[in-house]
Structures are given as C-alpha cells and as structure tokens.
Amino acid sequence: DPQSNFDEGIYMDYKQFEKNHIVPRYEFGFGLSYTRFDYSNIAITGRSGNSASEWPTGKVSSGGQEDLWETIATVTFTLKNGGHVDGAEAAQQYVRIPGYRAKQLRGFEKPFLAAGKGTQVSFALSRRDLSIWNTGAQKWQLQRGQYEIYVGRSSSKLPLKTYLTI
C-alpha cells in the first residue's frame, strides 16, 4: 500500500508562514472592499473547565464518531459596516489549539450589510474544531488548556480575541 507521511503536520500554507514569522504579500483571506467594516463585542458561551471529555465516545457513523460534531462553545461578535457603501465582509474565525504555534481557520460567514448597519455573527465550535488527530490512538483528541479564539477579516488582521479553557 502506498503511504504518505505528512511530516509538516498542520504547518502548511498560511500556518507555515505564521510559524516561521513570514509576512506574505497577501495574507490568507485577503480581500478588497469599497467600504470599512468594524468588529466589536466578542463573547464566548459554552463549556469551560473540565466538563468536556478528552476523547469522543459517540457511536461511529459516516464522518467519524457522532459526538465530534457536538458544539463545545459558540463565539458571537458584532460586525458593522462603518463606511458609506453597502457591502459584504468575509468574517473569519481562527483557533490556536494549546501547544501549537499556528492558528487554524475554523469558520467564516459573509454577511451583506447596508452602509452604517450592523449585525451579530455567531460561530459554533465543535469538538472536532478543537481537537487534534492522535496518531497513536487513531482518534481525535480534545486538548486540555487555554484555546485562543480570534475573529477578523484575514489570517493576520484579527482585531478580536477571546479564550476558551478546557
């Protein structure tokens, strides 16, 4: 059987740039707009502390164990079109898992907002979003520690930050 060994782990594309402190000309998620968007009021709700087990225990079905898709936390924030032109913004959510140097994209939404209007945007974080693949156990493993959660317009323009402790 052919085998591929991915020795770089998660450190591919924009994550490799971040790990090695390389500033690209155009960061991941870069986009142009004729208006300005403002991010504010980040909040996180959901489990915190040791309430989430390290390993999924659900029944195995298509896509893995069923509880990999349960929501561990929800991140909400306010997105406002602070300019004078109607437009859409691709708001992105990144997670830095404890013990890792790079953030990983874990969600995005692209709401269209009239000039001067705002909306509340929510991102759900599943057990799978917060886990790493444990090759020895051949399972997804939720890490213990403090997760850093970022929200913004690209991988390097992230004005909002909050934390989740598991």
Side-chain angles (χ1 to χ4, degrees):
D1 290 327
Q3 167 119 7
S4 293
N5 293 315
F6 298 98
D7 299 326
E8 67 277 354
I10 68 162
Y11 300 110
M12 296 180 279
D13 49 60
Y14 70 93
K15 296 175 287 274
Q16 191 262 347
F17 291 149
E18 183 176 341
K19 176 185 176 197
N20 294 312
H21 307 289
I22 298 169
V23 179
R25 185 167 297 182
Y26 299 102
E27 70 273 6
F28 181 78
F30 175 83
L32 295 175
S33 179
Y34 291 101
T35 192
R36 183 188 88 237
F37 290 91
D38 302 315
Y39 291 74
S40 62
N41 303 322
I42 191 168
I44 189 164
T45 57
R47 298 179 182 184
S48 192
N50 292 324
S51 61
S53 63
E54 184 177 6
W55 303 98
T57 58
K59 185 178 96 176
V60 175
S61 64
S62 180
Q65 291 178 273
E66 291 175 349
D67 56 338
L68 282 173
W69 314 115
E70 73 179 344
T71 298
I72 300 289
T74 302
V75 176
T76 58
F77 64 96
T78 301
L79 180 65
K80 182 180 179 189
N81 182 341
H84 301 290
V85 178
D86 298 351
E89 173 81 333
Q92 301 165 35
Q93 173 183 247
Y94 291 84
V95 173
R96 186 182 320 261
I97 294 174
Y100 287 82
R101 290 174 48 191
K103 305 177 295 292
Q104 299 179 59
L105 179 67
R106 288 297 185 245
F108 59 92
E109 292 288 331
K110 191 173 183 178
F112 184 86
L113 296 170
K117 299 295 181 185
T119 189
Q120 188 174 48
V121 180
S122 295
F123 291 119
L125 285 167
S126 69
R127 172 184 289 280
R128 168 62 182 84
D129 290 329
L130 300 171
S131 296
I132 61 160
W133 181 253
N134 183 310
T135 55
Q138 291 292 294
K139 287 180 118 173
W140 290 102
Q141 181 182 17
L142 197 59
Q143 300 301 288
R144 298 281 177 220
Q146 188 174 66
Y147 290 76
E148 297 174 5
I149 315 295
Y150 300 87
V151 173
R153 61 186 43 90
S154 73
S155 63
S156 65
K157 291 184 176 66
L158 300 162
L160 302 180
K161 181 179 180 180
T162 190
Y163 300 92
L164 174 68
T165 302
I166 296 181

